[in-house]
């Protein structure tokens, strides 16, 4: 079965500090894409960052970066210089390349609170 | 450029009633998706479409029907609502297949079935 596990249901961080959200996944496929989505109180799902499994270099987007460990099937998200607007639910997800559908497999999410 | 929009934002139904959720995208995307999100869980795919006039079942299709008569619109129907369908529903779209491209999500519809 393909699964995504986010072991931290809730986390908090002080404004301007750095926080890392964990994600592990399980798939028998070799080619896939990994994503982190942010869901603020408005409920809209917003793409934060994505990583192609065939790329060894970790993806970065401004204050957001990932630590992708393919052998360990780990895909953590690091948020640097945390801002109040980063408060949200964060979902890790992956999709297999070449499958019959674009079925994103989501984790249950981590609720991040950034405190002033 | 509004992206992905959903109507309505909220709805309360009685058991057995029917309704249709509308998703619209203005990005000329080929692929569109309907997900549901239940408390404490990630999103699960209900149905998806790979182009105008096509639909396919996802992970949890029972109790739902969909139609994609126009490329920009993807409708999700509940013929006879049940309390188990109380959830938040998200629509998404992508330029090409979801495994090679980012899916863009709408703001969601909160549905309560009494």
């Amino acid at each position: 079965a393909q699964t995504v596990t986010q072991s931290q249901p809730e986390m908090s961080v002080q404004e301007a500090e750095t926080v890392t959200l964990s994600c592990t996944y399980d798939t028998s496929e070799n080619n896939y894409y990994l994503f982190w989505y942010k869901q603020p109180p408005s409920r809209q799902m917003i793409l934060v960052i994505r990583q192609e499994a065939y790329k060894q270099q970790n993806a970065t987007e401004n204050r957001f970066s990932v630590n992708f460990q393919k052998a360990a099937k780990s895909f953590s998200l690091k948020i640097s210089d945390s801002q109040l607007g980063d408060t949200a639910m964060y979902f890790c997800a992956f999709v297999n390349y070449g499958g019959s559908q674009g079925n994103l497999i989501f984790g249950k999410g981590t609720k991040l609170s950034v405190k002033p | 450029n509004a992206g992905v929009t959903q109507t309505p934002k909220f709805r309360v139904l009685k058991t057995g009633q029917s309704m249709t959720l509308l998703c619209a995208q203005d990005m000329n995307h080929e692929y569109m998706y309907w997900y549901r999100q239940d408390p404490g869980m990630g999103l699960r795919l209900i149905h998806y479409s790979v182009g105008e006039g096509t639909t396919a079942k996802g992970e949890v299709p029972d109790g739902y029907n969909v139609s994609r008569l126009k490329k920009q619109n993807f409708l999700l129907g509940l013929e006879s609502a049940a309390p188990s369908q109380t959830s938040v529903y998200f629509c998404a779209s992508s330029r090409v297949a979801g495994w090679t491209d980012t899916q863009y999500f709408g703001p969601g519809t909160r549905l309560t079935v009494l």
Side-chain angles (χ1 to χ4, degrees):
Chain A
Q2 299 176 68
T3 58
V4 176
T5 302
Q6 294 179 247
S7 58
Q8 306 147 314
E10 291 192 42
M11 295 188 72
S12 65
V13 63
Q14 292 295 128
E15 195 175 7
E17 293 187 346
T18 295
V19 64
T20 299
L21 281 58
S22 301
C23 172
T24 58
Y25 58 92
D26 187 21
T27 179
S28 58
E29 303 293 329
N30 193 47
N31 296 319
Y32 47 88
Y33 291 78
L34 294 155
F35 305 84
W36 277 98
Y37 282 92
K38 169 184 177 181
Q39 187 180 41
S42 66
R43 295 207 310 268
Q44 189 157 6
M45 297 287 282
I46 303 166
L47 177 68
V48 175
I49 199 166
R50 86 171 206 169
Q51 172 85 39
E52 290 88 341
Y54 63 86
K55 290 186 177 179
Q56 293 185 338
Q57 185 173 5
N58 289 324
T60 62
E61 286 289 343
N62 300 315
R63 298 182 294 106
F64 299 88
S65 62
V66 297
N67 183 4
F68 174 46
Q69 302 288 331
K70 190 173 184 179
K73 295 182 180 176
S74 172
F75 184 60
S76 60
L77 175 69
K78 185 171 81 171
I79 305 174
S80 303
D81 186 25
S82 297
Q83 300 176 359
L84 296 178
D86 295 334
T87 292
M89 283 289 289
Y90 286 82
F91 290 95
C92 178
F94 85 93
V95 62
N96 287 318
Y97 181 91
S100 60
Q101 61 189 48
N103 189 4
L104 282 172
I105 309 296
F106 284 86
K108 294 184 178 182
T110 295
K111 183 177 182 180
L112 177 67
S113 298
V114 180
K115 301 183 184 304
Chain B
N1 190 336
V4 180
T5 58
Q6 294 181 230
T7 53
K9 289 184 169 55
F10 303 92
R11 186 71 186 269
V12 178
L13 290 178
K14 294 181 179 179
T15 297
Q17 288 185 319
S18 63
M19 78 162 293
T20 300
L21 282 66
L22 172 63
C23 175
Q25 52 94 4
D26 61 2
M27 296 175 283
N28 201 35
H29 284 174
E30 289 293 334
Y31 285 67
M32 296 187 74
Y33 314 82
W34 275 107
Y35 292 90
R36 61 178 288 174
Q37 184 181 30
D38 299 307
M41 298 185 67
L43 278 70
R44 292 182 294 168
L45 183 67
I46 304 171
H47 286 281
Y48 67 100
S49 168
V50 302
E52 182 178 315
T54 74
T55 62
K57 294 180 180 179
E59 181 184 358
V60 289
D62 294 342
Y64 305 95
N65 56 77
V66 288
S67 64
R68 183 102 181 266
L69 298 180
K70 293 183 179 181
K71 185 178 183 178
Q72 63 268 33
N73 296 335
F74 194 30
L75 279 63
L76 177 71
L78 286 74
E79 290 186 348
S80 180
S84 61
Q85 294 178 304
T86 294
S87 189
V88 180
Y89 291 85
F90 286 94
C91 176
S93 71
S94 60
R95 185 174 54 87
V96 292
W99 54 87
T100 60
D101 199 18
T102 302
Q103 293 187 22
Y104 295 85
F105 285 82
T109 295
R110 182 177 292 278
L111 174 66
T112 301
V113 182
L114 302 176

